[in-house]
Amino acid sequence: MMNVYNSLTRRVEELKPLEGNEIRLYTCGPTVYNFAHIGNFRAYAFEDILRRVVQFNGMKIRQVMNLTDVDDKTIRGANAAGVALTDYTKTYKDAFFADLKKLNIQPAEVYPAATDHIPEMIALVQKLMDKGVAYQSEDGSVYFKVREFPGYGKLAHIDFDNQRTGLRCAADEYDKENVGDFALWKAWEESDGPVGWDSPWGRGRPGWHIECSAMSMKYLGETFDLHTGGIDNLFPHHENEIAQAEAATGKEFVRTWMHCAHLRVNGEKMSKSAGNFFTLRDLLEKGYTGREIRYVLINAHYRTGLNFAFDALEDARKSLSRIDACVDRLARVAKTSSSGDSASRLPRSEFSAPLAKFTEAVNDDLNIPKAFASLFELVRMCNGMEMDAEAANEALGVFKRMDEVLGVIFFENEKKEVEVPAEVQSLLDQRAEARKAKNWAESDRLRDEIAALGWAVKDSRDGQSVAKKG
Ligand code: AMP
Ligand code: ZN
């Protein structure tokens, strides 16, 4: 049973599909005007863990992540660079997908771009106009009338009824009737340059919030299971999404809302505007790997703040090499005799205890730090055990099962990047023969020859292994 914290009810609740065996998930995606920073990737890594845990529990997932490719920032960037909006955003869309791969984040099922869904957004705004919950102001923009939607504030748990008078007074200097009203459609302005679409309210472009309501309902239906984002999305973005969708359909929009806490630097939210950010590329250039960065991003509970520090990346490197050493040994031992495919067999009892704890942890509101603790329990258990091929295979099966959620372990066939050249492999084979014949002088000579080619040989009770030096 998978339990998660629902921001809407402020309770931990069971997550089970509204229909069939599939969880329908909408995640707010990137605004493609720049490279995403690792704060953004904390949110995407959390959503990746979420989708992996859903699948770990035998449910299917249908995830939709939007790409915001039209807003103030993208328009400003494109016009400043003197290029078409689509050309400008393409660079950052491509970079985003490359970065997701580096972090081993599973792709969503659909990545709708806002500019491909303008008719759907116009139709939704029209529906809200027809229902009398939206109005066009003198400047030509269309706004949502917040006071016409009684549930406004239910996600943020704010009682707007008691604040309305104040809001109305403050609204005098705006084109809006109420300062809380938000734009559904923004009238074209000089600074928009060539960007704009025709609509029943004149030339303009959609507001950010309507994007997500229109695209989520198009791909997931009017009511769906789960909606996520960083905590900064909760208000007003997600509150507004609920208002738009529920005012238009009269139905519940989303059952469960989940939000991750921020990645911080020295106690402050990592953000473009604060200028305190690292992109994934910045960290890769410093020599850290996508796997190490993923480890740091997921190894803090998603609802607690995560303070970014380079020490954490160093610790991740050490932890991962402990896992690698254990899994490499198991893989070597597993090959020592053909004991058949154990993946389908239930793990032996020693290994089922850490797996049970792991399962309990991930199902308890995605407690990944606790899940890692069970994984290291398994590492310690294996390191302290004499292994035969069968046991090694079974332990490997448990690591593989855990890695369906974590996505940080390299199993043998995934180590393409450290493929051993044929020349080195041939020397290794000769050395194995020499050692079998107890010809230690020849074994040492071959070790030096291998070292001269840039590879270091290590001997252990399970045989020899090789790693690239430096
Ligand atoms: P944006 O491109 O700013 O719309 O943000 C994309 C996603 O990243 C949203 O889900 C944000 O809530 C999330 N996000 C932005 N900054 C951070 C941060 N420092 N830590 C965690 N999530 C963030
Ligand atoms: Zn959104």
Side-chain angles (χ1 to χ4, degrees):
M1 187 164 109
M2 178 175 175
N3 291 311
V4 296
Y5 180 83
N6 183 355
S7 308
L8 185 63
T9 59
R10 294 193 168 170
R11 278 198 305 263
V12 175
E13 298 169 347
E14 184 182 357
L15 182 71
K16 50 177 191 239
L18 289 170
E19 263 173 45
N21 188 36
E22 185 178 71
I23 294 288
R24 285 166 290 157
L25 162 67
Y26 186 86
T27 53
C28 290
T31 306
V32 280
Y33 74 108
N34 212 328
F35 297 110
H37 59 68
I38 56 159
N40 301 126
F41 284 112
R42 178 182 199 198
Y44 308 134
F46 140 66
E47 287 148 352
D48 179 59
I49 290 291
L50 175 62
R51 62 171 284 138
R52 284 166 178 265
V53 174
V54 165
Q55 295 170 97
F56 184 83
N57 279 281
M59 296 179 275
K60 284 200 179 136
I61 187 98
R62 178 169 171 78
Q63 182 186 3
V64 176
M65 181 186 275
N66 67 300
L67 302 168
T68 300
D69 60 352
V70 55
D71 78 326
D72 292 343
K73 290 176 278 194
T74 43
I75 293 174
R76 214 182 300 133
N79 292 347
V83 296
L85 183 65
T86 43
D87 294 334
Y88 182 75
T89 55
K90 185 172 185 308
T91 309
Y92 302 109
K93 281 184 195 172
D94 292 348
F96 177 65
F97 289 120
D99 288 356
L100 289 183
K101 259 201 183 139
K102 281 258 183 273
L103 290 172
N104 198 19
I105 290 177
Q106 290 183 348
E109 280 60 36
V110 193
Y111 287 104
T115 53
D116 292 333
H117 296 80
I118 306 291
E120 285 87 343
M121 296 171 205
I122 291 176
L124 186 55
V125 177
Q126 186 63 59
K127 213 163 168 184
L128 293 169
M129 287 291 270
D130 295 346
K131 296 212 165 190
V133 291
Y135 59 92
Q136 185 166 26
S137 77
E138 275 174 24
D139 71 351
S141 293
V142 178
Y143 293 95
F144 186 93
K145 231 187 255 186
V146 163
R147 68 174 173 278
E148 291 296 325
F149 181 68
Y152 197 76
K154 65 181 174 183
L155 179 64
H157 296 260
I158 301 172
D159 180 3
F160 284 92
D161 277 341
N162 289 325
Q163 301 188 8
R164 262 177 205 148
T165 331
L167 291 178
R168 233 179 259 133
C169 296
D172 288 350
E173 66 235 67
Y174 291 84
D175 290 319
K176 304 185 257 184
E177 290 174 10
N178 185 311
V179 72
D181 292 354
F182 56 89
L184 298 167
W185 184 261
K186 292 188 173 179
W188 183 86
E189 294 173 356
E190 281 289 326
S191 58
D192 291 346
V195 180
W197 290 265
D198 291 328
S199 81
W201 318 283
R203 194 167 170 74
R205 61 186 162 97
W208 173 40
H209 315 298
I210 200 79
E211 255 187 45
C212 286
S213 293
M215 296 196 287
S216 60
M217 289 197 284
K218 169 165 181 172
Y219 293 99
L220 298 172
E222 291 179 342
T223 301
F224 56 92
D225 302 276
L226 192 51
H227 194 313
T228 60
I231 193 74
D232 57 311
N233 283 163
L234 189 145
F235 189 84
H237 184 49
H238 291 163
E239 192 74 56
N240 293 351
E241 278 190 48
I242 294 175
Q244 295 163 150
E246 296 192 353
T249 68
K251 296 180 192 160
E252 180 188 29
F253 177 43
V254 173
R255 178 61 54 85
T256 306
W257 290 83
M258 291 173 74
H259 296 93
C260 76
H262 283 145
L263 181 79
R264 302 204 187 98
V265 185
N266 299 326
E268 252 188 83
K269 178 191 170 197
M270 179 176 282
S271 71
K272 296 263 161 63
S273 52
N276 61 353
F277 65 93
F278 290 105
T279 64
L280 182 64
R281 281 130 214 272
D282 293 336
L283 298 186
L284 295 173
E285 269 168 31
K286 288 183 191 294
Y288 297 103
T289 64
R291 189 165 78 121
E292 288 158 358
I293 299 162
R294 176 183 174 87
Y295 189 101
V296 171
L297 293 179
I298 64 174
N299 194 17
H301 192 268
Y302 77 94
R303 284 199 287 125
T304 61
L306 167 56
N307 208 36
F308 176 76
F310 283 96
D311 285 356
L313 284 167
E314 298 295 335
D315 290 345
R317 181 166 290 180
K318 283 184 208 134
S319 302
L320 284 165
S321 67
R322 273 183 66 205
I323 301 173
D324 285 347
C326 179
V327 167
D328 285 353
R329 172 183 166 232
L330 293 174
R332 277 198 309 279
V333 176
K335 272 196 239 139
T336 51
S337 72
S338 57
S339 60
D341 176 23
S342 72
S344 56
R345 217 179 307 149
L346 281 174
R348 52 170 67 187
S349 57
E350 296 102 295
F351 304 138
S352 64
L355 181 58
K357 280 194 206 160
F358 180 95
T359 306
E360 198 181 304
V362 297
N363 282 343
D364 179 14
D365 195 25
L366 314 179
N367 195 335
I368 298 301
K370 226 169 151 185
F372 266 117
S374 328
L375 181 135
F376 281 107
E377 195 180 312
L378 180 61
V379 169
R380 276 192 302 277
M381 192 183 267
C382 292
N383 288 348
M385 260 171 96
E386 283 296 326
M387 287 270 180
D388 59 7
E390 197 184 333
N393 257 318
E394 288 180 4
L396 274 177
V398 178
F399 276 112
K400 281 188 182 148
R401 179 79 175 125
M402 290 177 171
D403 202 52
E404 285 171 23
V405 172
L406 302 174
V408 292
I409 305 181
F410 279 160
F411 294 99
E412 265 200 315
N413 52 357
E414 289 163 321
K415 285 196 184 156
K416 301 243 160 49
E417 54 196 298
V418 287
E419 225 165 57
V420 180
E423 192 181 1
V424 174
Q425 190 56 53
S426 145
L427 293 170
L428 280 170
D429 294 344
Q430 291 173 41
R431 186 166 179 272
E433 284 301 314
R435 292 178 70 76
K436 228 162 128 190
K438 299 200 186 323
N439 186 346
W440 307 121
E442 177 65 357
S443 162
D444 288 350
R445 192 194 65 74
L446 284 161
R447 174 205 294 269
D448 293 344
E449 203 176 320
I450 294 166
L453 294 171
W455 293 77
V457 185
K458 220 166 97 185
D459 296 306
S460 73
R461 58 183 166 171
D462 304 315
Q464 56 179 3
S465 61
V466 74
K468 203 155 173 53
K469 291 205 284 189

